[in-house]
Amino acid sequence: MGRYLLFRLGRTVLAAWGILSIIFLLTRWAATDIGLQTLQDAPTLGRGLSVGEQTRIAQQVRQRYGLDLPVFYLSVLTSDTDTPAWHPHWHWNGTRNQYHRWLRGVVQGDLGNSYREGTPVTKLLLQALRYTLPLTVSATFLATISTVLLASWVNYYNRWRGLVLAILHGIQALPLFLVALGLLLLLANPDALNWFPAFGLGDDTEQYSSWSEELLQYLRHLVLPVFSLLLVALPGFVVQLDGAMQQELREPYVATARAKGAPPVQVVRKHVLHNALLPVLPLFTELLPSMVTGSVVVEMVYALPGMGRLFVEAAAQQDLPVLLGVVLLVAIARLASQLLADALYQWADPRIRLHI
Amino acid sequence: MTRRLSFAQWLAVSWLLLVVVSACIAPTSSPVPDLLHTQEPPFQDPHWLGTDPLGHDVLQLLLAGARTTLLISIPTAVLASLLGGAAGSVAGFWGNSTYQVQRASAAAGVIGAVIALLFIPQLRTNPFPVGLVIGVLSCTVYYALRRTSWGQRQIAVPIDSMVQALIALLDSIPLLLLVLAIAAVQRPSSMGLVVLLVLTCWTTPARLLRAVTLRTKALLFVEAAVVAGLPTLRILRYHIWPNTWPVLLIRLPLSIAIIIGLETTLSFLGIGLAPEVASWGRLLASIRVAPAAWWLLVWPGAAIFFTILSLHTLVSTKITGFDKHLDVTK
């Protein structure tokens, strides 16, 4: 078990390192000029400078962010007049390159500074997590509970099953951004129903008389984002769990339980559910990463200053350190949930022995 | 395999036909905004579905968006299925030890590849002579090594592990984030977006076909074909492929639906397609400027909803005809 987890950990870390490196190199090679454009537009650089001064300042900014270094260990020589044609046109840059610095920083927990704001990326990420973490964790929690409840319910009250599954089938055809937009315009719109606040997570400047009121306000802001995440995640999970339960209901042990006089609700809850959960367990551990992905869309729609918004803004303005930081964080979340899935498997069914 | 379509399927097929027809009749030039009627509510004479805040006719934008959606999603889904299907079949059929090559040809290939990598700049400037030299060099290596006993031994190529590693690489980050990150920096054209989506979406068909191929490979008639000494490609083509390709076909509407969802999300976030390309997602994004304009949400939203629902309907009903134990929706 320990060996298996270690193997799994190593493999996933390797995969995450690979994909992050690919994204790093792709973005750096493609965006050296555009990224610099963002730097030059930064408010620290005044307008009305001469061309010479501008290039000098651009050079300084490049140096500060380490953009004057070559991107990778190897680079292609551009001046091919002084090298013979049979000579490989590669130049070895040693460890003085952007990739090496970035990797060393990541290992030491330093993700560099944002191009746009100049603040460390880790600080920005921590700030954003204050909003994203409650959103995604509560959505995950609620989705898990409501999936289990709904699936057990439709398996007990069989005549609602067709209707509920049909509705879920319909919801499944709605992309997340459509659900979020629809809820926003229906329930948080002065022209329609103005039940919930449309954006943000409460005003910090506003003074509340008590902490309970503040909490209530906070929860009111969180309702619609969490609900849209929940609504989109629910159909797939309920359908899967329902399928597993339908299969379990045909097993002989269900007949035994019924024959010895257990009430149908107890049969579903105590006997069937436990066995049906096992095949869908990996799905549940994928829930948190998919919620984080969903928060990209939800935070854009509801204007929450969370990680997803940070990601999209960084993407739009080519703020590469922030972009990579968010991707790294999501990769870590996924890694953790995969390991959790393995541990949960062992816990749920001790017969399973995982080995390489 | 001919099956009668149910009522829901008829509805789905006719909606999809409607989308295809509207994509065909959509105006090719970008429509001229009607600046006198901006943000006009629907059901009025010139603009039956209303106008957006810039004065574009919503109906025209919807039609043009249908074409964009089809032109992106169908090629992407087909190409990703083919690429993933090929990778999955090969990985499932050959596994890690079945595909063997002579050490001589492996060495020649590796040497050729290394030299080609070293001389990429020269290969780029004049590909023909440099390529010829590299080819001759690796052929020489092959013929020199072929005589030796070292070169004649076989080594196995771990194709399965290689494909699995690639899949693990792409799956370590959620698809939406991966595509967003790359699309944001590369700013792809429509063609580039298709390539990007194909290169990131092929993993699910690959995993699916690998599983099906593994199951088919264990059947007796394949073993009989192997024992009879048929060439491998022939076994793949005539014995394995006819039993596995229906899985890809069943999955195709679902792939298209996933890619439509992805593409509209990208356009909604303002990343991906160029601003002048009409898209359902972009039309929906304009509602953030005008929150009172419900028609900007309802029409494109309904278009996306019915298209994806139709595609799902085609999948979920067709699946009964084939292998019931296989879940293509995973």
Side-chain angles (χ1 to χ4, degrees):
Chain A
M1 172 69 186
R3 233 181 99 217
Y4 176 80
L5 277 187
L6 213 63
F7 169 75
R8 233 356 239 277
L9 187 72
R11 208 182 58 181
T12 335
V13 166
L14 216 62
W17 166 71
I19 194 79
L20 277 168
S21 300
I22 289 174
I23 293 179
F24 178 88
L25 294 176
L26 266 183
T27 50
R28 287 296 161 112
W29 270 322
T32 33
D33 293 334
I34 316 170
L36 201 68
Q37 193 59 46
T38 324
L39 290 181
Q40 279 167 343
D41 289 342
T44 47
L45 304 174
R47 300 262 168 222
L49 295 170
S50 70
V51 180
E53 275 176 324
Q54 271 184 4
T55 48
R56 197 173 51 79
I57 289 178
Q59 197 56 38
Q60 276 180 1
V61 173
R62 270 168 181 268
Q63 259 179 10
R64 175 150 33 106
Y65 288 94
L67 290 176
D68 54 333
L69 299 176
V71 173
F72 197 54
Y73 296 101
L74 286 168
S75 57
V76 180
L77 287 181
T78 42
S79 59
D80 42 357
T81 47
D82 49 335
T83 48
W86 48 269
H87 195 274
H89 284 210
W90 291 95
H91 183 247
W92 176 256
N93 296 313
T95 53
R96 270 182 60 79
N97 61 63
Q98 293 182 34
Y99 178 73
H100 186 82
R101 284 201 173 176
W102 171 76
L103 201 62
R104 201 179 56 197
V106 168
V107 171
Q108 291 170 352
D110 170 27
L111 296 174
N113 290 341
S114 159
Y115 288 169
R116 205 149 39 98
E117 305 183 24
T119 43
V121 174
T122 40
K123 203 177 141 199
L124 283 177
L125 283 181
L126 281 180
Q127 270 175 9
L129 271 184
R130 264 183 49 215
Y131 295 96
T132 303
L133 219 51
L135 178 73
T136 50
V137 169
S138 55
T140 309
F141 186 66
L142 285 177
T144 313
I145 290 183
S146 45
T147 301
V148 170
L149 286 182
L150 196 62
S152 328
W153 189 76
V154 295
N155 272 288
Y156 178 58
Y157 296 101
N158 241 326
R159 71 199 140 128
W160 294 102
R161 192 164 160 266
L163 181 67
V164 170
L165 287 186
I167 292 174
L168 290 176
H169 191 65
I171 295 176
Q172 213 168 13
L174 288 168
L176 175 58
F177 76 99
L178 210 53
V179 172
L181 259 186
L183 285 177
L184 178 76
L185 290 176
L186 200 64
L187 299 179
N189 193 346
D191 298 326
L193 297 170
N194 200 2
W195 290 354
F196 297 100
F199 56 84
L201 271 185
D203 207 344
D204 287 339
T205 55
E206 215 170 308
Q207 289 299 316
Y208 297 109
S209 53
S210 63
W211 63 269
S212 60
E213 199 182 327
E214 196 179 332
L215 184 71
L216 205 68
Q217 198 63 23
Y218 183 72
L219 287 181
R220 261 190 75 199
H221 280 90
L222 217 53
V223 167
L224 284 184
V226 168
F227 189 61
S228 37
L229 278 178
L230 179 67
L231 211 57
V232 170
L234 208 56
F237 287 94
V238 174
V239 168
Q240 293 285 342
L241 186 57
D242 174 69
M245 283 180 131
Q246 286 288 312
Q247 224 162 25
E248 291 295 325
L249 276 173
R250 279 183 232 120
E251 297 288 320
Y253 71 84
V254 176
T256 312
R258 291 289 293 122
K260 74 178 190 200
V265 180
Q266 291 294 318
V267 173
V268 169
R269 202 180 292 161
K270 291 255 165 79
H271 298 248
V272 172
L273 182 61
H274 195 88
N275 286 308
L277 270 179
L278 200 63
V280 291
L281 213 54
L283 276 179
F284 279 104
T285 48
E286 275 297 294
L287 200 53
L288 188 63
S290 73
M291 288 292 181
V292 174
T293 315
S295 73
V296 171
V297 174
V298 167
E299 282 169 8
M300 278 312 280
V301 173
Y302 290 99
L304 302 176
M307 213 168 69
R309 198 178 156 81
L310 192 68
F311 181 78
V312 174
E313 278 174 1
Q317 297 176 348
Q318 310 220 326
D319 194 348
L320 302 184
V322 177
L323 201 71
L324 278 165
V326 176
V327 173
L328 179 70
L329 207 61
V330 175
I332 290 174
R334 198 158 220 194
L335 175 70
S337 63
Q338 277 172 358
L339 290 180
L340 186 72
D342 289 341
L344 273 181
Y345 249 143
Q346 289 277 308
W347 172 78
D349 190 352
R351 286 172 304 178
I352 294 175
R353 285 282 162 268
L354 299 168
H355 48 79
I356 300 169
Chain B
M1 225 180 86
T2 48
R3 291 166 50 80
R4 295 185 58 190
L5 298 176
S6 68
F7 180 64
Q9 280 173 312
W10 273 117
L11 279 182
V13 169
S14 36
W15 172 261
L16 291 176
L17 275 180
L18 185 69
V19 172
V20 171
V21 168
S22 55
C24 293
I25 63 166
T28 45
S29 60
S30 54
V32 183
D34 186 353
L35 294 174
L36 291 178
H37 301 94
T38 58
Q39 211 181 318
E40 194 97 325
F43 312 120
Q44 288 171 18
D45 185 23
H47 310 290
W48 283 104
L49 293 185
T51 55
D52 75 348
L54 295 175
H56 292 111
D57 186 48
V58 170
L59 182 62
Q60 278 186 351
L61 286 182
L62 274 183
L63 296 183
R67 188 176 48 216
T68 311
T69 302
L70 288 187
L71 281 185
I72 299 260
S73 63
I74 292 179
T76 308
V78 170
L79 287 177
S81 296
L82 286 181
L83 182 66
S89 308
V90 166
F93 184 71
W94 272 313
N96 273 336
S97 52
T98 317
Y99 186 69
Q100 296 187 331
V101 291
Q102 274 193 343
R103 273 185 184 167
S105 43
V110 168
I111 288 173
V114 166
I115 296 176
L117 269 180
L118 278 179
F119 288 90
I120 280 179
Q122 282 95 335
L123 260 179
R124 261 216 206 123
T125 46
N126 33 3
F128 185 66
V130 180
L132 193 71
V133 168
I134 293 174
V136 166
L137 206 65
S138 41
C139 280
T140 323
V141 170
Y142 173 67
Y143 278 106
L145 286 176
R146 206 176 60 153
R147 308 280 167 200
T148 62
S149 61
W150 182 86
Q152 274 172 356
R153 276 205 240 141
Q154 305 271 323
I155 52 166
V157 182
I159 292 181
D160 193 21
S161 294
M162 294 195 303
V163 172
Q164 297 265 56
L166 264 183
I167 292 177
L169 197 70
L170 285 173
D171 279 353
S172 60
I173 289 177
L175 189 60
L176 179 66
L177 286 194
L178 186 62
V179 173
L180 261 180
I182 298 178
V185 178
Q186 298 269 344
R187 302 270 157 97
S189 57
S190 304
M191 201 57 200
L193 192 67
V194 170
V195 172
L196 175 61
L197 286 174
V198 167
L199 287 182
T200 45
C201 292
W202 62 272
T203 54
T204 318
R207 242 183 285 130
L208 208 62
L209 259 212
R210 180 177 170 272
V212 186
T213 310
L214 275 178
R215 273 225 299 260
T216 316
K217 197 178 78 170
L219 296 180
L220 269 180
F221 66 90
V222 179
E223 258 176 60
V226 173
V227 170
L230 294 184
T232 316
L233 278 180
R234 196 186 155 96
I235 297 175
L236 260 182
R237 168 73 186 79
Y238 290 105
H239 299 248
I240 305 262
W241 192 240
N243 289 296
T244 53
W245 74 266
V247 177
L248 275 189
L249 190 69
I250 303 169
R251 163 109 196 156
L252 194 64
L254 194 65
S255 307
I256 297 177
I258 290 172
I259 287 160
I260 288 178
L262 206 60
E263 184 266 321
T264 45
T265 307
L266 282 180
S267 324
F268 174 73
L269 293 175
I271 293 166
L273 290 173
E276 65 271 9
V277 181
S279 152
W280 290 343
R282 200 173 291 284
L283 185 56
L284 271 164
S286 65
I287 199 174
R288 289 196 288 183
V289 186
W294 54 267
W295 57 95
L296 290 181
L297 174 72
V298 170
W299 306 134
I304 295 174
F305 173 69
F306 286 124
T307 309
I308 296 183
L309 189 66
S310 308
L311 291 165
H312 281 186
T313 310
L314 287 186
V315 179
S316 55
T317 39
K318 245 166 132 182
I319 194 167
T320 49
F322 293 106
D323 192 348
K324 277 182 190 149
H325 300 290
L326 192 77
D327 190 1
V328 290
T329 54
K330 265 184 195 162

Coordinates of all heavy atoms in Angstrom, one line a residue, chain B residues 137-177:
Chain B
L137 N 22.7 8.5 -43.5 CA 23.5 8.2 -42.3 C 22.8 7.0 -41.5 O 23.4 6.1 -41.1 CB 23.6 9.4 -41.5 CG 24.9 9.4 -40.6 CD1 26.1 9.5 -41.5 CD2 24.8 10.6 -39.7
S138 N 21.5 7.2 -41.3 CA 20.8 6.2 -40.4 C 20.7 4.9 -41.2 O 20.8 3.8 -40.6 CB 19.5 6.7 -39.9 OG 18.8 7.4 -40.8
C139 N 20.5 4.9 -42.5 CA 20.5 3.7 -43.3 C 21.8 3.0 -43.2 O 21.9 1.7 -43.0 CB 20.2 4.0 -44.8 SG 18.5 4.3 -45.1
T140 N 22.9 3.7 -43.2 CA 24.3 3.1 -43.1 C 24.4 2.4 -41.8 O 24.9 1.3 -41.7 CB 25.4 4.2 -43.2 OG1 25.0 5.1 -44.2 CG2 26.7 3.6 -43.6
V141 N 24.0 3.1 -40.7 CA 24.0 2.5 -39.4 C 23.2 1.2 -39.3 O 23.7 0.2 -38.8 CB 23.4 3.5 -38.3 CG1 23.3 2.8 -37.0 CG2 24.3 4.7 -38.2
Y142 N 22.0 1.2 -40.0 CA 21.2 0.1 -40.0 C 21.9 -1.1 -40.6 O 22.0 -2.2 -40.1 CB 19.9 0.4 -40.6 CG 19.0 -0.8 -40.8 CD1 18.4 -1.5 -39.7 CD2 18.7 -1.3 -42.1 CE1 17.7 -2.6 -39.9 CE2 17.9 -2.4 -42.3 CZ 17.4 -3.1 -41.2 OH 16.6 -4.2 -41.4
Y143 N 22.4 -0.8 -41.9 CA 23.0 -2.0 -42.6 C 24.3 -2.4 -41.9 O 24.7 -3.6 -42.0 CB 23.3 -1.5 -44.1 CG 22.0 -1.7 -44.9 CD1 21.3 -0.5 -45.3 CD2 21.6 -2.9 -45.2 CE1 20.1 -0.7 -46.0 CE2 20.4 -3.1 -45.9 CZ 19.7 -1.9 -46.3 OH 18.5 -2.1 -47.0
A144 N 25.0 -1.5 -41.2 CA 26.2 -1.9 -40.5 C 25.9 -2.8 -39.4 O 26.5 -3.9 -39.1 CB 27.0 -0.7 -40.1
L145 N 24.8 -2.5 -38.6 CA 24.5 -3.2 -37.4 C 23.7 -4.5 -37.7 O 23.7 -5.4 -36.9 CB 23.7 -2.4 -36.5 CG 24.5 -1.3 -35.7 CD1 23.5 -0.4 -34.9 CD2 25.5 -1.9 -34.9
R146 N 23.1 -4.6 -38.9 CA 22.2 -5.7 -39.2 C 23.0 -7.0 -39.2 O 22.4 -8.1 -38.9 CB 21.5 -5.5 -40.5 CG 20.2 -6.2 -40.6 CD 19.6 -5.8 -41.9 NE 20.4 -6.2 -43.0 CZ 20.0 -6.5 -44.2 NH1 18.7 -6.5 -44.5 NH2 20.8 -6.9 -45.2
R147 N 24.3 -7.0 -39.6 CA 25.0 -8.2 -39.7 C 25.4 -8.7 -38.3 O 25.6 -9.9 -38.1 CB 26.3 -7.9 -40.5 CG 26.1 -7.3 -41.8 CD 25.6 -8.3 -42.8 NE 25.1 -7.7 -44.0 CZ 24.2 -8.3 -44.8 NH1 23.9 -9.6 -44.6 NH2 23.8 -7.7 -45.9
T148 N 25.6 -7.8 -37.3 CA 26.2 -8.2 -36.0 C 25.1 -9.0 -35.2 O 23.9 -8.8 -35.5 CB 26.6 -7.0 -35.2 OG1 25.5 -6.2 -35.0 CG2 27.7 -6.2 -35.9
S149 N 25.5 -9.8 -34.3 CA 24.5 -10.6 -33.5 C 23.8 -9.6 -32.5 O 22.7 -9.9 -32.2 CB 25.2 -11.7 -32.7 OG 26.2 -11.1 -31.8
W150 N 24.5 -8.5 -32.1 CA 23.8 -7.6 -31.2 C 22.7 -6.9 -31.9 O 21.6 -6.8 -31.4 CB 24.9 -6.5 -30.8 CG 24.3 -5.5 -29.8 CD1 24.2 -5.7 -28.5 CD2 23.7 -4.3 -30.1 NE1 23.6 -4.5 -27.9 CE2 23.3 -3.7 -28.9 CE3 23.5 -3.6 -31.3 CZ2 22.7 -2.4 -28.8 CZ3 22.9 -2.3 -31.3 CH2 22.5 -1.8 -30.0
G151 N 22.9 -6.6 -33.2 CA 21.9 -5.8 -33.9 C 20.7 -6.7 -34.3 O 19.6 -6.2 -34.6
Q152 N 20.9 -8.0 -34.3 CA 19.9 -8.9 -34.8 C 18.9 -9.2 -33.7 O 17.8 -9.6 -34.0 CB 20.4 -10.2 -35.4 CG 20.8 -10.0 -36.8 CD 21.6 -11.2 -37.3 OE1 21.9 -12.1 -36.6 NE2 21.9 -11.2 -38.6
R153 N 19.2 -9.0 -32.5 CA 18.3 -9.3 -31.4 C 17.1 -8.3 -31.4 O 17.2 -7.2 -31.9 CB 19.0 -9.2 -30.0 CG 19.7 -10.5 -29.8 CD 19.9 -10.8 -28.3 NE 21.3 -10.9 -28.0 CZ 21.9 -10.4 -27.0 NH1 21.2 -9.7 -26.1 NH2 23.1 -10.6 -26.8
Q154 N 16.0 -8.8 -30.9 CA 14.8 -8.0 -30.9 C 14.7 -7.2 -29.5 O 15.0 -7.8 -28.5 CB 13.6 -8.9 -31.0 CG 13.6 -9.8 -32.2 CD 13.0 -9.1 -33.5 OE1 12.1 -8.4 -33.3 NE2 13.6 -9.3 -34.6
I155 N 14.2 -6.0 -29.6 CA 13.8 -5.4 -28.3 C 12.3 -4.9 -28.5 O 11.9 -4.6 -29.5 CB 14.7 -4.2 -27.9 CG1 14.8 -3.2 -29.1 CG2 16.0 -4.6 -27.5 CD1 15.4 -1.9 -28.7
A156 N 11.6 -4.9 -27.3 CA 10.2 -4.6 -27.3 C 10.1 -3.1 -27.2 O 10.8 -2.4 -26.4 CB 9.5 -5.3 -26.2
V157 N 9.2 -2.5 -27.9 CA 8.9 -1.1 -27.8 C 7.7 -0.9 -26.8 O 6.6 -1.5 -27.1 CB 8.6 -0.4 -29.1 CG1 8.3 1.0 -29.0 CG2 9.7 -0.7 -30.1
P158 N 7.8 -0.2 -25.7 CA 6.7 -0.1 -24.7 C 5.7 0.9 -25.2 O 5.5 1.9 -24.6 CB 7.4 0.3 -23.5 CG 8.6 1.0 -23.9 CD 9.0 0.4 -25.2
I159 N 4.9 0.5 -26.3 CA 4.0 1.5 -26.8 C 2.9 1.8 -25.8 O 2.5 3.0 -25.7 CB 3.3 0.9 -28.1 CG1 4.4 0.8 -29.2 CG2 2.2 1.7 -28.6 CD1 3.9 0.2 -30.5
D160 N 2.4 0.8 -25.1 CA 1.3 1.1 -24.2 C 1.8 2.1 -23.1 O 1.0 3.0 -22.8 CB 0.9 -0.3 -23.5 CG -0.4 -0.2 -22.8 OD1 -1.1 0.8 -23.1 OD2 -0.6 -1.0 -21.9
S161 N 3.0 1.9 -22.6 CA 3.4 2.8 -21.5 C 3.6 4.2 -22.1 O 3.2 5.2 -21.4 CB 4.8 2.3 -21.0 OG 4.6 1.1 -20.3
M162 N 4.0 4.3 -23.3 CA 4.2 5.6 -23.9 C 2.9 6.4 -24.1 O 2.8 7.5 -23.7 CB 4.9 5.5 -25.3 CG 6.4 5.0 -25.1 SD 7.5 5.2 -26.4 CE 6.8 4.4 -27.8
V163 N 1.9 5.6 -24.6 CA 0.6 6.3 -24.7 C 0.0 6.6 -23.4 O -0.5 7.7 -23.2 CB -0.4 5.3 -25.5 CG1 -1.8 5.9 -25.6 CG2 0.1 5.2 -27.0
Q164 N 0.1 5.7 -22.4 CA -0.4 6.0 -21.1 C 0.3 7.2 -20.5 O -0.4 8.0 -19.8 CB -0.2 4.8 -20.2 CG -0.9 3.5 -20.6 CD -2.2 3.4 -20.0 OE1 -3.1 4.3 -20.0 NE2 -2.4 2.3 -19.3
A165 N 1.6 7.3 -20.7 CA 2.3 8.5 -20.1 C 1.8 9.8 -20.7 O 1.6 10.7 -20.0 CB 3.8 8.3 -20.3
L166 N 1.6 9.7 -22.0 CA 1.0 11.0 -22.7 C -0.3 11.3 -22.1 O -0.6 12.5 -21.9 CB 0.9 10.7 -24.2 CG 2.1 11.2 -25.0 CD1 1.8 11.0 -26.5 CD2 2.3 12.7 -24.8
I167 N -1.2 10.3 -21.9 CA -2.5 10.5 -21.4 C -2.4 11.1 -20.0 O -3.1 12.1 -19.6 CB -3.3 9.2 -21.4 CG1 -3.6 8.8 -22.8 CG2 -4.6 9.4 -20.7 CD1 -4.4 7.5 -23.0
A168 N -1.5 10.5 -19.2 CA -1.4 11.0 -17.8 C -0.9 12.4 -17.8 O -1.3 13.3 -17.0 CB -0.4 10.1 -17.0
L169 N 0.0 12.8 -18.7 CA 0.5 14.1 -18.9 C -0.6 15.1 -19.1 O -0.7 16.1 -18.4 CB 1.5 14.1 -20.0 CG 2.5 15.3 -20.1 CD1 3.5 15.2 -19.0 CD2 3.2 15.3 -21.4
L170 N -1.5 14.8 -20.1 CA -2.5 15.7 -20.4 C -3.6 15.8 -19.4 O -4.3 16.8 -19.2 CB -3.1 15.3 -21.8 CG -2.3 15.7 -23.0 CD1 -2.9 15.1 -24.2 CD2 -2.1 17.2 -23.1
D171 N -3.8 14.6 -18.7 CA -4.9 14.6 -17.7 C -4.5 15.2 -16.3 O -5.4 15.2 -15.5 CB -5.4 13.1 -17.5 CG -6.3 12.8 -18.6 OD1 -6.6 13.6 -19.4 OD2 -6.7 11.6 -18.7
S172 N -3.3 15.6 -16.2 CA -2.9 16.1 -14.8 C -3.4 17.5 -14.6 O -3.4 18.0 -13.5 CB -1.4 16.0 -14.6 OG -0.8 16.8 -15.6
I173 N -4.0 18.1 -15.6 CA -4.6 19.4 -15.5 C -6.0 19.4 -16.1 O -6.1 18.8 -17.2 CB -3.7 20.5 -16.1 CG1 -2.5 20.7 -15.3 CG2 -4.5 21.8 -16.2 CD1 -1.5 21.7 -15.9
P174 N -7.0 19.9 -15.5 CA -8.3 19.9 -16.1 C -8.3 20.6 -17.5 O -7.6 21.5 -17.7 CB -9.1 20.8 -15.1 CG -8.5 20.7 -13.8 CD -7.0 20.5 -14.1
L175 N -9.1 20.0 -18.4 CA -9.1 20.3 -19.8 C -9.3 21.8 -20.0 O -8.6 22.5 -20.7 CB -10.2 19.5 -20.5 CG -10.1 19.6 -22.0 CD1 -8.8 19.1 -22.5 CD2 -11.3 18.8 -22.6
L176 N -10.3 22.4 -19.3 CA -10.6 23.8 -19.5 C -9.4 24.7 -19.2 O -9.1 25.6 -19.9 CB -11.8 24.2 -18.7 CG -12.3 25.6 -18.8 CD1 -12.8 25.9 -20.2 CD2 -13.3 26.0 -17.8
L177 N -8.7 24.4 -18.0 CA -7.6 25.2 -17.7 C -6.5 25.1 -18.7 O -5.9 26.1 -19.0 CB -7.1 24.8 -16.3 CG -7.9 25.2 -15.1 CD1 -7.1 25.0 -13.8 CD2 -8.4 26.6 -15.2

